[in-house]
Amino acid sequence: MKIIGLLLLLGLAGCGSDAPVECPAACTDGPDEAPGRVTLRRMLGEMTDLEALARLPDPPYRTLQVSSRDRATTSPDAPGWYSNVDGGSFERIDGDEKVMLDAEGPGVLVRVWSANPNGTWRFYVDGSPEPVIEAPFDAITAGRVPPIGEPFAYVSARGHSMYLPIGFRERLRVTTDGDVQYYHIEYRRYDAGVDVEPFSLEALRAARCPRAAACDGLTSAPELRGGRTESAVIGESASEVLAVAAGPSGGVIRRLRVRPRDTSEAALREALLTISFDGTETVRAPLGDFFGGGPGLNPFASVASDVHADDTLTARWPMP
């Protein structure tokens, strides 16, 4: 393992990212619905609720993905293993529509990505013959399909992404009439009987206050409030271990910030970050990979972590 000089700060008590998006004014429109019901309002809140990452979800769900993988590549011993036609595969073709996702509910679509969106994309909820969203996916990610827009849909690194939660009780179909598509679609599947609010653009427009709160949480970087900060220089003359004592009722690390002396790709891969909680090691990862910026130092900003051009690496997910 290569030891490099690090300035390490632990914030025990904060979160967000910087982005040039103008959010609506904050507001409140009453309490959320009964616990256990999965609503659009609740899903918008979860988009910036880092505390949820440290708790088991209630109600529980599985996260699944479909993609434009080459469906002919099933086994090295079967025909098609080297065909490599990713991007031209779909679940099936219904007339003029190519089906990318056909999922049974209850569930919530949470992410869509495409490297080359073309044609019109349609999202059908609960067997309705009319799609709840019908538009070119590049128009959605360019903010030309209100009320969908940044930060819920955007283009970055030539990838078109949408994170707008689309709930469904019985079934969700996503189709396109375009040509070759490279895509990922991720969704949650809940147990039978979970009450999921079906998505509609009307419901999204009505959810003005939670939309504003989610937008603000996704595009701002609030300061760490309360608690205390511990710091150490690692790999120099000081100890190579930073020990943090919890209070009588325990504690939560809410920010981990590291400033490596050497930010070369090799150093960020070879330097190993290990963290033990209450005597049990639960983190062992290459330094750059832990913060999501590898290989090398690649500046980016997100709610949970970011890498800055001044060589500062920050993680904000709560670590009890």
Side-chain angles (χ1 to χ4, degrees), residues 256-279:
L256 171 61
R257 179 169 290 167
V258 174
R259 186 171 297 129
R261 182 181 302 278
D262 185 347
T263 58
S264 66
E265 181 175 334
L268 292 177
R269 175 55 58 84
E270 293 174 17
L272 196 63
L273 175 68
T274 61
I275 309 178
S276 297
F277 293 88
D278 300 333

Side-chain angles (χ1 to χ4, degrees), residues 6-275:
L6 302 176
L7 172 61
L8 187 149
L9 297 174
L10 283 177
L12 283 85
C15 73
S17 61
D18 299 313
V21 177
E22 194 169 319
C23 298
C27 60
T28 57
D29 58 1
D32 198 0
E33 293 82 355
R37 186 164 189 255
V38 181
T39 64
L40 175 61
R41 178 190 180 93
R42 174 174 174 171
M43 292 296 299
L44 289 170
E46 283 190 20
M47 296 183 77
T48 57
D49 182 11
L50 293 179
E51 297 292 332
L53 299 177
R55 301 190 301 268
L56 293 174
D58 184 20
Y61 59 83
R62 297 171 60 209
T63 300
L64 305 173
Q65 175 182 281
V66 297
S67 71
S68 54
R69 63 179 177 83
D70 186 348
R71 286 159 176 80
T73 58
T74 58
S75 168
D77 302 323
W81 183 249
Y82 292 106
S83 64
N84 194 27
V85 292
D86 292 352
S89 296
F90 303 94
E91 292 293 312
R92 65 177 186 275
I93 298 178
D94 292 340
D96 294 331
E97 294 188 77
K98 303 174 180 69
V99 180
M100 295 180 284
L101 171 70
D102 191 349
E104 294 182 353
V108 180
L109 181 146
V110 292
R111 174 181 177 262
V112 180
W113 168 91
S114 178
N116 65 330
N118 58 82
T120 297
W121 288 35
R122 298 178 177 89
F123 299 75
Y124 297 90
V125 169
D126 290 346
S128 171
E130 299 299 325
V132 294
I133 300 175
E134 181 177 12
F137 194 61
D138 58 354
I140 294 174
T141 55
R144 299 198 302 270
V145 184
I148 307 170
E150 290 193 32
F152 307 105
Y154 57 89
V155 180
S156 178
R158 295 189 293 180
H160 298 247
S161 300
M162 183 183 76
Y163 289 85
L164 182 67
I166 298 178
F168 56 101
R169 283 182 180 150
E170 299 173 1
R171 186 184 183 191
L172 176 67
R173 284 195 307 131
V174 181
T175 72
T176 180
D177 60 9
D179 297 323
V180 174
Q181 302 277 355
Y182 292 90
Y183 63 88
H184 298 164
I185 301 176
E186 295 172 7
Y187 64 101
R188 298 179 178 181
R189 176 175 289 164
Y190 292 90
D191 292 338
V194 173
D195 186 6
V196 176
E197 177 188 12
F199 175 86
S200 70
L201 286 178
E202 291 72 22
L204 180 61
R205 293 187 182 96
R208 186 175 67 89
C209 297
R211 268 197 300 134
C215 180
D216 182 64
L218 289 168
T219 58
S220 62
E223 291 297 318
L224 195 67
R225 296 172 183 168
R228 69 184 193 273
T229 297
E230 306 272 357
S231 64
V233 177
I234 296 179
E236 298 283 339
S237 57
S239 168
E240 295 180 359
V241 176
L242 172 61
V244 178
S249 58
V252 179
I253 295 174
R254 300 195 182 279
R255 183 179 66 192
L256 171 61
R257 179 169 290 167
V258 174
R259 186 171 297 129
R261 182 181 302 278
D262 185 347
T263 58
S264 66
E265 181 175 334
L268 292 177
R269 175 55 58 84
E270 293 174 17
L272 196 63
L273 175 68
T274 61
I275 309 178

